[in-house]
Amino acid sequence: MVRKSWEFPFLAEPAEVAALRRIVRLHLKAWGLPRQTEVAQVCVSELVANVIRHVGVGTPTALRLSMRGTYLRLEVRDPDSRALPTLVAVDPDSESGRGMALVNAMADRWGVLLGSDHKVTWCEIATDLSTPNGHAGGVRVTRAEAMICLYGAVASPRAVNASRLSGAVAKDAAIDVIVDLLHWMVAHGFDADDVLDMAQARFESGV
């Protein structure tokens, strides 16, 4: 799976935060990173809230998602290189100042990059991937990936490995794998519906 960097410009408004959280959830689902969704949503919320609070409501801002090795990287860019986020001790009863403390607690690392006319506040979240374009899920996913690679290479000859298949091509290849296996089952006297029911039961039980 190719996880290409993705950027979304927006105006830093409180009303935008819910939409950004939804976008992050959908994007990470497409990337096969559902386990990182909750932490990523909290971090994005706090990074954007930091811009709203310290730079100003309505500030032109951009959110960028990318992979840095096997870490998910979130970046929030704004045009003020002076208002730097800081990590401060927060009183338990305090109603503000928790933003970067939450990011610090939930992300694996964070920092700030300064430009002449902007800054980028970033954080990184560990994944259970072995490579940036790999998959989590264990040996079953690895075996499926190898088979999808073979089928996908037929549909897209220039794709020499699974990591270069687009999501659409990989999905079609996976469907072709299932259909061909069902044809094989029928050709050998097995009932396709029974096979699908057994496969579904094993999938749901995690066997």
Side-chain angles (χ1 to χ4, degrees):
M1 173 183 290
V2 178
R3 297 180 175 90
K4 294 183 179 180
S5 299
W6 170 86
E7 186 166 316
F8 178 73
F10 62 97
L11 297 180
E13 305 271 359
E16 289 291 321
V17 175
L20 291 170
R21 290 173 63 92
R22 183 167 59 254
I23 288 170
V24 167
R25 175 175 56 79
L26 293 173
H27 206 78
L28 294 189
K29 180 180 179 182
W31 276 10
L33 299 175
R35 295 179 185 177
Q36 286 68 40
T37 298
E38 184 177 352
V39 172
Q41 286 180 317
V42 171
C43 289
V44 166
S45 296
E46 296 304 329
L47 293 178
V48 173
N50 205 61
V51 174
I52 294 171
R53 185 178 301 115
H54 298 292
V55 182
V57 175
T59 298
T61 312
L63 169 66
R64 186 171 187 267
L65 273 64
S66 63
M67 294 299 298
R68 188 176 181 86
T70 58
Y71 284 79
L72 170 66
R73 184 178 176 97
L74 311 172
E75 299 178 358
V76 171
R77 174 182 174 133
D78 69 72
D80 192 335
S81 59
R82 298 166 301 171
L84 301 181
T86 55
L87 183 62
V88 297
V90 180
D91 185 277
D93 297 325
S94 175
E95 295 183 359
S96 63
R98 297 177 181 275
M100 296 315 298
L102 273 174
V103 173
N104 185 65
M106 301 190 75
D108 290 272
R109 50 199 182 211
W110 69 276
V112 182
L113 299 174
L114 294 179
S116 59
D117 60 353
H118 71 277
K119 72 173 178 293
V120 174
T121 307
W122 60 269
C123 68
E124 293 179 353
I125 302 166
T127 69
D128 47 2
L129 303 175
S130 56
T131 65
N133 292 325
H135 289 274
V139 65
R140 287 188 179 277
V141 175
T142 301
R143 291 200 306 246
E145 190 79 7
M147 188 173 292
I148 290 170
C149 174
L150 294 175
Y151 272 68
V154 173
S156 181
R158 290 187 296 177
V160 296
N161 57 55
S163 68
R164 291 178 55 185
L165 296 180
S166 71
V169 171
K171 180 180 178 181
D172 286 343
I175 293 171
D176 286 340
V177 170
I178 295 169
V179 171
D180 286 356
L181 288 174
L182 290 175
H183 278 293
W184 184 92
M185 290 288 181
V186 171
H188 286 77
F190 299 104
D191 183 89
D193 289 334
D194 287 344
V195 170
L196 286 174
D197 288 342
M198 292 173 64
Q200 182 70 23
R202 291 189 185 184
F203 172 73
E204 291 176 352
S205 66
V207 175

PDB file of all heavy atoms in Angstrom, residues 7 16 21 27 33 35 38 41 55 59 62 71 82 85-86 96 99 107-108 113-114 117 126 139 155 183-184 191 201:
ATOM      1  N   GLU A   7      -2.174  16.730   2.153  1.00  0.00           N
ATOM      2  CA  GLU A   7      -2.265  18.033   2.824  1.00  0.00           C
ATOM      3  C   GLU A   7      -3.648  18.637   2.599  1.00  0.00           C
ATOM      4  O   GLU A   7      -4.211  18.542   1.503  1.00  0.00           O
ATOM      5  CB  GLU A   7      -1.182  18.979   2.326  1.00  0.00           C
ATOM      6  CG  GLU A   7      -1.138  20.294   3.079  1.00  0.00           C
ATOM      7  CD  GLU A   7       0.125  21.088   2.818  1.00  0.00           C
ATOM      8  OE1 GLU A   7       1.209  20.484   2.814  1.00  0.00           O
ATOM      9  OE2 GLU A   7       0.025  22.307   2.601  1.00  0.00           O
ATOM     10  N   GLU A  16     -14.209  23.924  12.561  1.00  0.00           N
ATOM     11  CA  GLU A  16     -13.488  23.062  11.634  1.00  0.00           C
ATOM     12  C   GLU A  16     -12.921  21.811  12.305  1.00  0.00           C
ATOM     13  O   GLU A  16     -12.585  20.838  11.638  1.00  0.00           O
ATOM     14  CB  GLU A  16     -12.327  23.839  10.985  1.00  0.00           C
ATOM     15  CG  GLU A  16     -12.751  24.897   9.998  1.00  0.00           C
ATOM     16  CD  GLU A  16     -13.342  24.290   8.743  1.00  0.00           C
ATOM     17  OE1 GLU A  16     -12.831  23.263   8.271  1.00  0.00           O
ATOM     18  OE2 GLU A  16     -14.337  24.840   8.242  1.00  0.00           O
ATOM     19  N   ARG A  21     -11.205  16.058  12.405  1.00  0.00           N
ATOM     20  CA  ARG A  21     -11.160  14.750  13.061  1.00  0.00           C
ATOM     21  C   ARG A  21     -11.769  13.668  12.166  1.00  0.00           C
ATOM     22  O   ARG A  21     -11.239  12.556  12.066  1.00  0.00           O
ATOM     23  CB  ARG A  21     -11.904  14.808  14.401  1.00  0.00           C
ATOM     24  CG  ARG A  21     -11.198  15.623  15.462  1.00  0.00           C
ATOM     25  CD  ARG A  21     -12.074  15.773  16.707  1.00  0.00           C
ATOM     26  NE  ARG A  21     -12.349  14.494  17.336  1.00  0.00           N
ATOM     27  CZ  ARG A  21     -11.613  13.963  18.305  1.00  0.00           C
ATOM     28  NH1 ARG A  21     -10.545  14.593  18.754  1.00  0.00           N
ATOM     29  NH2 ARG A  21     -11.941  12.793  18.835  1.00  0.00           N
ATOM     30  N   HIS A  27      -9.073   9.059   6.514  1.00  0.00           N
ATOM     31  CA  HIS A  27      -7.794   8.893   5.838  1.00  0.00           C
ATOM     32  C   HIS A  27      -7.002   7.737   6.446  1.00  0.00           C
ATOM     33  O   HIS A  27      -6.397   6.935   5.718  1.00  0.00           O
ATOM     34  CB  HIS A  27      -6.995  10.193   5.926  1.00  0.00           C
ATOM     35  CG  HIS A  27      -6.006  10.348   4.811  1.00  0.00           C
ATOM     36  ND1 HIS A  27      -6.363  10.732   3.544  1.00  0.00           N
ATOM     37  CD2 HIS A  27      -4.666  10.155   4.777  1.00  0.00           C
ATOM     38  CE1 HIS A  27      -5.297  10.777   2.768  1.00  0.00           C
ATOM     39  NE2 HIS A  27      -4.239  10.421   3.501  1.00  0.00           N
ATOM     40  N   LEU A  33      -4.664   2.134   9.108  1.00  0.00           N
ATOM     41  CA  LEU A  33      -4.100   2.471  10.417  1.00  0.00           C
ATOM     42  C   LEU A  33      -5.205   2.838  11.410  1.00  0.00           C
ATOM     43  O   LEU A  33      -5.146   3.894  12.046  1.00  0.00           O
ATOM     44  CB  LEU A  33      -3.114   3.642  10.278  1.00  0.00           C
ATOM     45  CG  LEU A  33      -1.892   3.401   9.385  1.00  0.00           C
ATOM     46  CD1 LEU A  33      -1.079   4.680   9.251  1.00  0.00           C
ATOM     47  CD2 LEU A  33      -1.033   2.269   9.946  1.00  0.00           C
ATOM     48  N   ARG A  35      -5.809   1.732  14.356  1.00  0.00           N
ATOM     49  CA  ARG A  35      -5.382   1.768  15.756  1.00  0.00           C
ATOM     50  C   ARG A  35      -4.795   3.125  16.150  1.00  0.00           C
ATOM     51  O   ARG A  35      -4.757   3.464  17.336  1.00  0.00           O
ATOM     52  CB  ARG A  35      -4.346   0.671  16.020  1.00  0.00           C
ATOM     53  CG  ARG A  35      -4.886  -0.747  15.855  1.00  0.00           C
ATOM     54  CD  ARG A  35      -3.807  -1.771  16.119  1.00  0.00           C
ATOM     55  NE  ARG A  35      -4.267  -3.122  15.864  1.00  0.00           N
ATOM     56  CZ  ARG A  35      -3.500  -4.204  15.954  1.00  0.00           C
ATOM     57  NH1 ARG A  35      -2.237  -4.068  16.328  1.00  0.00           N
ATOM     58  NH2 ARG A  35      -4.000  -5.398  15.702  1.00  0.00           N
ATOM     59  N   GLU A  38      -7.546   7.271  17.133  1.00  0.00           N
ATOM     60  CA  GLU A  38      -7.937   8.038  18.314  1.00  0.00           C
ATOM     61  C   GLU A  38      -6.846   9.006  18.748  1.00  0.00           C
ATOM     62  O   GLU A  38      -7.109  10.193  19.004  1.00  0.00           O
ATOM     63  CB  GLU A  38      -8.284   7.096  19.470  1.00  0.00           C
ATOM     64  CG  GLU A  38      -8.786   7.820  20.707  1.00  0.00           C
ATOM     65  CD  GLU A  38      -9.206   6.881  21.816  1.00  0.00           C
ATOM     66  OE1 GLU A  38      -9.254   5.653  21.582  1.00  0.00           O
ATOM     67  OE2 GLU A  38      -9.482   7.369  22.931  1.00  0.00           O
ATOM     68  N   GLN A  41      -6.497  11.852  16.175  1.00  0.00           N
ATOM     69  CA  GLN A  41      -7.578  12.833  16.263  1.00  0.00           C
ATOM     70  C   GLN A  41      -7.368  13.784  17.440  1.00  0.00           C
ATOM     71  O   GLN A  41      -7.574  14.991  17.315  1.00  0.00           O
ATOM     72  CB  GLN A  41      -8.926  12.122  16.405  1.00  0.00           C
ATOM     73  CG  GLN A  41      -9.408  11.474  15.122  1.00  0.00           C
ATOM     74  CD  GLN A  41     -10.742  10.779  15.303  1.00  0.00           C
ATOM     75  OE1 GLN A  41     -10.977  10.088  16.297  1.00  0.00           O
ATOM     76  NE2 GLN A  41     -11.634  10.939  14.341  1.00  0.00           N
ATOM     77  N   VAL A  55      -2.586  32.083  17.762  1.00  0.00           N
ATOM     78  CA  VAL A  55      -2.343  32.829  16.516  1.00  0.00           C
ATOM     79  C   VAL A  55      -3.581  33.616  16.131  1.00  0.00           C
ATOM     80  O   VAL A  55      -3.496  34.782  15.757  1.00  0.00           O
ATOM     81  CB  VAL A  55      -1.912  31.880  15.372  1.00  0.00           C
ATOM     82  CG1 VAL A  55      -1.616  32.685  14.103  1.00  0.00           C
ATOM     83  CG2 VAL A  55      -0.691  31.065  15.784  1.00  0.00           C
ATOM     84  N   THR A  59      -7.176  31.948  11.073  1.00  0.00           N
ATOM     85  CA  THR A  59      -5.823  31.899  10.498  1.00  0.00           C
ATOM     86  C   THR A  59      -5.756  30.841   9.389  1.00  0.00           C
ATOM     87  O   THR A  59      -6.177  29.696   9.588  1.00  0.00           O
ATOM     88  CB  THR A  59      -4.795  31.544  11.586  1.00  0.00           C
ATOM     89  OG1 THR A  59      -4.798  32.564  12.580  1.00  0.00           O
ATOM     90  CG2 THR A  59      -3.403  31.426  10.989  1.00  0.00           C
ATOM     91  N   ALA A  62      -2.826  24.687   7.531  1.00  0.00           N
ATOM     92  CA  ALA A  62      -2.843  23.464   6.720  1.00  0.00           C
ATOM     93  C   ALA A  62      -2.493  22.272   7.596  1.00  0.00           C
ATOM     94  O   ALA A  62      -1.621  22.355   8.466  1.00  0.00           O
ATOM     95  CB  ALA A  62      -1.872  23.571   5.562  1.00  0.00           C
ATOM     96  N   TYR A  71       6.510   5.622  11.345  1.00  0.00           N
ATOM     97  CA  TYR A  71       5.726   6.511  12.199  1.00  0.00           C
ATOM     98  C   TYR A  71       4.739   7.312  11.361  1.00  0.00           C
ATOM     99  O   TYR A  71       5.078   7.765  10.259  1.00  0.00           O
ATOM    100  CB  TYR A  71       6.632   7.492  12.953  1.00  0.00           C
ATOM    101  CG  TYR A  71       7.367   6.877  14.120  1.00  0.00           C
ATOM    102  CD1 TYR A  71       8.507   6.107  13.916  1.00  0.00           C
ATOM    103  CD2 TYR A  71       6.921   7.050  15.426  1.00  0.00           C
ATOM    104  CE1 TYR A  71       9.188   5.529  14.985  1.00  0.00           C
ATOM    105  CE2 TYR A  71       7.594   6.490  16.501  1.00  0.00           C
ATOM    106  CZ  TYR A  71       8.720   5.727  16.269  1.00  0.00           C
ATOM    107  OH  TYR A  71       9.386   5.166  17.335  1.00  0.00           O
ATOM    108  N   ARG A  82       6.314  33.345  15.402  1.00  0.00           N
ATOM    109  CA  ARG A  82       6.669  33.872  16.721  1.00  0.00           C
ATOM    110  C   ARG A  82       5.918  33.174  17.847  1.00  0.00           C
ATOM    111  O   ARG A  82       6.467  32.952  18.931  1.00  0.00           O
ATOM    112  CB  ARG A  82       6.381  35.375  16.780  1.00  0.00           C
ATOM    113  CG  ARG A  82       7.198  36.203  15.784  1.00  0.00           C
ATOM    114  CD  ARG A  82       6.618  37.589  15.661  1.00  0.00           C
ATOM    115  NE  ARG A  82       5.221  37.531  15.204  1.00  0.00           N
ATOM    116  CZ  ARG A  82       4.408  38.579  15.176  1.00  0.00           C
ATOM    117  NH1 ARG A  82       4.834  39.773  15.578  1.00  0.00           N
ATOM    118  NH2 ARG A  82       3.168  38.448  14.738  1.00  0.00           N
ATOM    119  N   PRO A  85       4.499  26.948  20.311  1.00  0.00           N
ATOM    120  CA  PRO A  85       3.857  26.096  21.323  1.00  0.00           C
ATOM    121  C   PRO A  85       4.875  25.700  22.385  1.00  0.00           C
ATOM    122  O   PRO A  85       6.043  25.434  22.078  1.00  0.00           O
ATOM    123  CB  PRO A  85       3.392  24.881  20.516  1.00  0.00           C
ATOM    124  CG  PRO A  85       4.300  24.849  19.335  1.00  0.00           C
ATOM    125  CD  PRO A  85       4.620  26.275  19.009  1.00  0.00           C
ATOM    126  N   THR A  86       4.461  25.687  23.615  1.00  0.00           N
ATOM    127  CA  THR A  86       5.351  25.319  24.705  1.00  0.00           C
ATOM    128  C   THR A  86       4.676  24.298  25.599  1.00  0.00           C
ATOM    129  O   THR A  86       3.451  24.273  25.731  1.00  0.00           O
ATOM    130  CB  THR A  86       5.741  26.541  25.556  1.00  0.00           C
ATOM    131  OG1 THR A  86       4.550  27.193  26.025  1.00  0.00           O
ATOM    132  CG2 THR A  86       6.551  27.535  24.720  1.00  0.00           C
ATOM    133  N   SER A  96      -7.219  25.535  30.810  1.00  0.00           N
ATOM    134  CA  SER A  96      -6.460  25.790  29.589  1.00  0.00           C
ATOM    135  C   SER A  96      -5.021  25.334  29.793  1.00  0.00           C
ATOM    136  O   SER A  96      -4.607  24.989  30.893  1.00  0.00           O
ATOM    137  CB  SER A  96      -6.508  27.284  29.227  1.00  0.00           C
ATOM    138  OG  SER A  96      -5.894  28.052  30.248  1.00  0.00           O
ATOM    139  N   GLY A  99      -3.150  21.627  25.962  1.00  0.00           N
ATOM    140  CA  GLY A  99      -2.965  21.185  24.580  1.00  0.00           C
ATOM    141  C   GLY A  99      -1.685  20.428  24.319  1.00  0.00           C
ATOM    142  O   GLY A  99      -1.701  19.246  23.966  1.00  0.00           O
ATOM    143  N   ALA A 107       1.460  11.376  21.802  1.00  0.00           N
ATOM    144  CA  ALA A 107       2.331  11.113  20.658  1.00  0.00           C
ATOM    145  C   ALA A 107       3.674  10.575  21.152  1.00  0.00           C
ATOM    146  O   ALA A 107       4.027  10.714  22.326  1.00  0.00           O
ATOM    147  CB  ALA A 107       2.527  12.390  19.842  1.00  0.00           C
ATOM    148  N   ASP A 108       4.418   9.976  20.257  1.00  0.00           N
ATOM    149  CA  ASP A 108       5.731   9.452  20.641  1.00  0.00           C
ATOM    150  C   ASP A 108       6.794  10.534  20.637  1.00  0.00           C
ATOM    151  O   ASP A 108       7.781  10.430  21.367  1.00  0.00           O
ATOM    152  CB  ASP A 108       6.119   8.317  19.685  1.00  0.00           C
ATOM    153  CG  ASP A 108       5.251   7.086  19.902  1.00  0.00           C
ATOM    154  OD1 ASP A 108       5.614   6.253  20.738  1.00  0.00           O
ATOM    155  OD2 ASP A 108       4.193   6.988  19.248  1.00  0.00           O
ATOM    156  N   LEU A 113       9.071  23.232  13.534  1.00  0.00           N
ATOM    157  CA  LEU A 113       9.988  23.659  12.479  1.00  0.00           C
ATOM    158  C   LEU A 113       9.662  25.100  12.131  1.00  0.00           C
ATOM    159  O   LEU A 113       8.506  25.430  11.865  1.00  0.00           O
ATOM    160  CB  LEU A 113       9.833  22.774  11.236  1.00  0.00           C
ATOM    161  CG  LEU A 113      10.121  21.279  11.423  1.00  0.00           C
ATOM    162  CD1 LEU A 113       9.788  20.514  10.144  1.00  0.00           C
ATOM    163  CD2 LEU A 113      11.574  21.058  11.817  1.00  0.00           C
ATOM    164  N   LEU A 114      10.675  25.958  12.129  1.00  0.00           N
ATOM    165  CA  LEU A 114      10.452  27.381  11.864  1.00  0.00           C
ATOM    166  C   LEU A 114      10.920  27.760  10.468  1.00  0.00           C
ATOM    167  O   LEU A 114      12.006  27.377  10.029  1.00  0.00           O
ATOM    168  CB  LEU A 114      11.209  28.225  12.894  1.00  0.00           C
ATOM    169  CG  LEU A 114      10.740  28.117  14.352  1.00  0.00           C
ATOM    170  CD1 LEU A 114      11.618  28.988  15.237  1.00  0.00           C
ATOM    171  CD2 LEU A 114       9.284  28.517  14.472  1.00  0.00           C
ATOM    172  N   ASP A 117       8.448  32.755   7.334  1.00  0.00           N
ATOM    173  CA  ASP A 117       7.103  33.315   7.388  1.00  0.00           C
ATOM    174  C   ASP A 117       6.062  32.303   7.872  1.00  0.00           C
ATOM    175  O   ASP A 117       4.872  32.471   7.654  1.00  0.00           O
ATOM    176  CB  ASP A 117       6.694  33.837   6.011  1.00  0.00           C
ATOM    177  CG  ASP A 117       6.706  32.738   4.951  1.00  0.00           C
ATOM    178  OD1 ASP A 117       7.164  31.616   5.259  1.00  0.00           O
ATOM    179  OD2 ASP A 117       6.244  33.004   3.822  1.00  0.00           O
ATOM    180  N   ALA A 126       3.733   6.142  16.670  1.00  0.00           N
ATOM    181  CA  ALA A 126       4.254   4.839  16.237  1.00  0.00           C
ATOM    182  C   ALA A 126       3.134   3.974  15.672  1.00  0.00           C
ATOM    183  O   ALA A 126       1.983   4.041  16.112  1.00  0.00           O
ATOM    184  CB  ALA A 126       4.926   4.135  17.407  1.00  0.00           C
ATOM    185  N   VAL A 139       0.836 -12.790   9.728  1.00  0.00           N
ATOM    186  CA  VAL A 139       1.213 -13.639   8.604  1.00  0.00           C
ATOM    187  C   VAL A 139       0.095 -13.761   7.575  1.00  0.00           C
ATOM    188  O   VAL A 139       0.353 -13.873   6.372  1.00  0.00           O
ATOM    189  CB  VAL A 139       1.637 -15.034   9.112  1.00  0.00           C
ATOM    190  CG1 VAL A 139       0.452 -15.761   9.760  1.00  0.00           C
ATOM    191  CG2 VAL A 139       2.236 -15.868   7.993  1.00  0.00           C
ATOM    192  N   ALA A 155      -2.944  -7.268 -13.822  1.00  0.00           N
ATOM    193  CA  ALA A 155      -3.802  -6.138 -14.184  1.00  0.00           C
ATOM    194  C   ALA A 155      -2.985  -4.888 -14.476  1.00  0.00           C
ATOM    195  O   ALA A 155      -3.361  -4.062 -15.300  1.00  0.00           O
ATOM    196  CB  ALA A 155      -4.790  -5.857 -13.054  1.00  0.00           C
ATOM    197  N   HIS A 183     -14.213 -20.370  -7.824  1.00  0.00           N
ATOM    198  CA  HIS A 183     -14.298 -21.219  -9.021  1.00  0.00           C
ATOM    199  C   HIS A 183     -13.551 -22.535  -8.792  1.00  0.00           C
ATOM    200  O   HIS A 183     -14.028 -23.604  -9.188  1.00  0.00           O
ATOM    201  CB  HIS A 183     -13.705 -20.488 -10.230  1.00  0.00           C
ATOM    202  CG  HIS A 183     -14.651 -19.523 -10.874  1.00  0.00           C
ATOM    203  ND1 HIS A 183     -15.795 -19.931 -11.526  1.00  0.00           N
ATOM    204  CD2 HIS A 183     -14.619 -18.173 -10.983  1.00  0.00           C
ATOM    205  CE1 HIS A 183     -16.437 -18.873 -12.013  1.00  0.00           C
ATOM    206  NE2 HIS A 183     -15.747 -17.788 -11.683  1.00  0.00           N
ATOM    207  N   TRP A 184     -12.413 -22.447  -8.137  1.00  0.00           N
ATOM    208  CA  TRP A 184     -11.633 -23.655  -7.858  1.00  0.00           C
ATOM    209  C   TRP A 184     -12.418 -24.588  -6.942  1.00  0.00           C
ATOM    210  O   TRP A 184     -12.447 -25.804  -7.147  1.00  0.00           O
ATOM    211  CB  TRP A 184     -10.298 -23.258  -7.203  1.00  0.00           C
ATOM    212  CG  TRP A 184      -9.381 -24.416  -6.968  1.00  0.00           C
ATOM    213  CD1 TRP A 184      -8.410 -24.889  -7.804  1.00  0.00           C
ATOM    214  CD2 TRP A 184      -9.357 -25.261  -5.801  1.00  0.00           C
ATOM    215  NE1 TRP A 184      -7.779 -25.971  -7.240  1.00  0.00           N
ATOM    216  CE2 TRP A 184      -8.342 -26.215  -6.010  1.00  0.00           C
ATOM    217  CE3 TRP A 184     -10.090 -25.289  -4.622  1.00  0.00           C
ATOM    218  CZ2 TRP A 184      -8.041 -27.209  -5.073  1.00  0.00           C
ATOM    219  CZ3 TRP A 184      -9.802 -26.273  -3.681  1.00  0.00           C
ATOM    220  CH2 TRP A 184      -8.786 -27.216  -3.913  1.00  0.00           C
ATOM    221  N   ASP A 191     -19.294 -26.605  -2.228  1.00  0.00           N
ATOM    222  CA  ASP A 191     -20.342 -25.601  -2.349  1.00  0.00           C
ATOM    223  C   ASP A 191     -19.781 -24.219  -2.003  1.00  0.00           C
ATOM    224  O   ASP A 191     -19.235 -24.024  -0.916  1.00  0.00           O
ATOM    225  CB  ASP A 191     -21.505 -25.939  -1.416  1.00  0.00           C
ATOM    226  CG  ASP A 191     -22.659 -24.955  -1.570  1.00  0.00           C
ATOM    227  OD1 ASP A 191     -23.532 -25.201  -2.418  1.00  0.00           O
ATOM    228  OD2 ASP A 191     -22.661 -23.944  -0.833  1.00  0.00           O
ATOM    229  N   ALA A 201     -16.835 -17.319   9.224  1.00  0.00           N
ATOM    230  CA  ALA A 201     -16.791 -17.733  10.626  1.00  0.00           C
ATOM    231  C   ALA A 201     -15.366 -17.711  11.155  1.00  0.00           C
ATOM    232  O   ALA A 201     -15.108 -17.260  12.285  1.00  0.00           O
ATOM    233  CB  ALA A 201     -17.391 -19.139  10.766  1.00  0.00           C
TER     234      ALA A 201
END
